[in-house]
Amino acid sequence: CKALTRAMAPPTSCRRPSRCLSLAAVMAVAVVMVMLSLHPQQGVAVRVVNDTTLPRLNIAAGMLTTSGVSGGGAAATQFHVSYSESIGGCGIIAGPPYYCAQANIDIALNQCMKDPALISVEELINFAKYAADTLNSVDSVNNLKDDRVWIFTGEKDTVVHPGVVDKTFSFYKHWIKDPASVLIGSYPAEHAWVTDNFGNNCTYLGSPYINNCGFDAAGSMLQHLYNYSLANRSTEAAAGTFIQFEQLHYTPPGTLPPEMSLGNMGYLYVPPNCADGQTPCKLHVVFHGCNQDLESVGDDFVMHSGLTAWADTNDIVVLYPQAKKSDEIPYNPQGCFDWWGYSGVDYACKFGLQMQTFANMVKAVAGFV
C-alpha cells in the first residue's frame, strides 16, 4: 500500500513508533471465569466467558463474511478487499468506499464524509487493482466477482452523506458480475446501526449509535450475504456463549494493541451448535463504528446489534474486534478502526497492523483466511 499513498502519506512524526516489545512480557496468566450477566435487552441471563485466547472451531470454507458501520464499514470493506480469496460477502452501513481517505485525514473528514462529488470511484478502483496486481498487498480483485455485498444508508444521516455510500455501491458494482448480488437500500434514519427492537429513536444522533427504526438491518444483511438461505431468527434469549478474549495474542510480532489503537479485549459469540467444533459453522466478522468501542458504549453494540438472534438459528459464529480511543500517537480520539492511516500507511491492505490482527483472529477460529 505504500506506493498508493505517495505524497498523501502523513508526516513521519505522526506515524506509529516502533517499540518491539515482547508479547511474552505482558501476557497475563490464563484464567477462565464463567459469569452470568443480565442482558438489558432481553432481561435474561447471558453466558459470558472470560478467556485469554480464541477457540478453534469448525468454520466451513466459503462461509466467511464481514460487516461494519461508519468507520467500521470502511474497515469491513478494507478487510474484504484485502482477503477476498476467503471472504465471500460484506455488509456496509454508512461506510465510504475502499481506500477513500488515501491515508489523508483531511480527505477522510471531507470527501469521504461530506462531499461525495469529490470522490473518484475510478481512482479507487485503480488503487485496488494496483494493490492486487503490482504490490500483491491485497488478494486478487477477480475474487470479488462472485461475492455478495449489502449496503445501507440513512436518508437523514448528518455524519456520512448518503452520496458517499452511493460511491461505495459504485465501487462494488464495478467488480461484481451479478447486479443482484450488490444490494443498496436506505431508510429515514440518522447515523447509526439500525435495529427493530433496541436503541434510540430512528432520527436521533448520539450514543450508542444504535437506533430502533423498526427495521432489522442485521437480518436483512445476513440473509443477503448468505443468499437468502437462513432460517428465521430466534425469538428467545441468546442460547450461546460470549467469549471475551485478549486481542494482544493476535497482533503482529513485536506490537501491542495500544500501538494500533485496539482495545485489550474482543468478543466472540459462539452459538450452541458450534461450541463442540464438530458442526460446520459460518463466521461473521463485524466492526463497530466510531464511539461504539467498549469504553464508550459498554457492550451495547456486542449485545444489541441483532446478530445474535440470527446466529443462534443459523450456526453463525460472530467475531467482534474492538478499537480503543487514543489521545496520543496513534491519534484516534473517537475509537475508530483505522480507515485513514493513523496506524501506518499500509492500513488498508494485508500489510496493515490492524488487518493482520483481524486475519490472525480469523485464522485462530477458522484455520484459514
Side-chain angles (χ1 to χ4, degrees), residues 77 81 97-98 121 124-125 128 144 166-176:
T77 301
V81 173
Y98 177 74
V121 174
L124 301 180
I125 288 169
L144 297 170
D166 288 340
K167 299 285 186 171
T168 304
F169 175 69
S170 297
F171 174 84
Y172 272 114
K173 190 168 64 172
H174 172 82
W175 302 110
I176 297 176

Side-chain angles (χ1 to χ4, degrees), residues 7-224:
M8 293 179 289
T12 303
S13 61
C14 295
R15 298 278 298 280
R16 176 189 62 84
S18 177
R19 301 179 188 177
C20 300
L21 298 179
S22 169
L23 292 182
V26 296
M27 283 186 180
V29 176
V31 177
V32 179
M33 178 181 68
V34 178
M35 63 183 179
L36 290 178
S37 61
L38 189 66
H39 193 307
Q41 177 184 348
Q42 298 164 325
V44 295
V46 172
R47 188 167 183 264
V48 180
V49 174
N50 287 344
D51 204 348
T52 58
T53 58
L54 289 163
R56 176 66 178 273
L57 302 173
N58 185 0
I59 304 301
M63 292 291 112
L64 173 61
T65 59
T66 186
S67 70
V69 55
S70 190
T77 301
Q78 291 165 189
F79 195 47
H80 182 206
V81 173
S82 293
Y83 296 96
S84 61
E85 185 173 341
S86 300
I87 299 174
C90 186
I92 304 114
I93 295 178
Y98 177 74
Y99 202 59
C100 183
Q102 301 172 43
N104 186 313
I105 185 62
D106 291 330
I107 294 176
L109 293 175
N110 291 287
Q111 287 96 307
C112 302
M113 295 179 69
K114 302 175 183 177
D115 199 347
L118 297 178
I119 298 174
S120 170
V121 174
E122 182 179 0
E123 184 178 38
L124 301 180
I125 288 169
N126 289 334
F127 281 150
K129 185 173 177 59
Y130 183 69
D133 296 347
T134 302
L135 302 180
N136 197 31
S137 59
V138 304
D139 288 347
S140 171
V141 289
N142 292 329
N143 295 324
L144 297 170
K145 68 181 186 300
D146 295 319
D147 287 357
R148 301 184 66 82
V149 174
W150 181 95
I151 301 168
F152 177 91
T153 183
E155 296 165 8
K156 297 184 180 296
D157 194 322
T158 59
V159 177
V160 176
H161 192 289
V164 171
V165 185
D166 288 340
K167 299 285 186 171
T168 304
F169 175 69
S170 297
F171 174 84
Y172 272 114
K173 190 168 64 172
H174 172 82
W175 302 110
I176 297 176
K177 65 180 182 182
D178 182 1
S181 294
V182 188
L183 179 67
I184 185 168
S186 65
Y187 201 86
E190 244 292 1
H191 189 72
W193 181 281
V194 171
T195 78
D196 63 351
N197 56 20
F198 179 85
N200 299 312
N201 182 278
C202 194
T203 58
Y204 179 80
L205 176 64
S207 187
Y209 298 95
I210 303 173
N211 285 2
N212 184 349
C213 297
F215 174 65
D216 178 20
S220 176
M221 173 186 68
L222 289 173
Q223 282 284 20
H224 181 76

Side-chain angles (χ1 to χ4, degrees), residues 54-60 63-66 79 83 86-87 245 250 268 282-287 317-321 354-369:
L54 289 163
R56 176 66 178 273
L57 302 173
N58 185 0
I59 304 301
M63 292 291 112
L64 173 61
T65 59
T66 186
F79 195 47
Y83 296 96
S86 300
I87 299 174
F245 66 93
Y250 307 101
L268 183 77
K282 308 170 186 68
L283 176 60
H284 185 74
V285 184
V286 58
F287 298 97
V317 177
V318 186
L319 175 64
Y320 300 85
Q354 289 191 3
M355 290 295 109
Q356 291 183 62
T357 300
F358 308 145
N360 289 339
M361 292 175 183
V362 171
K363 288 177 186 175
V365 175
F368 65 86
V369 68

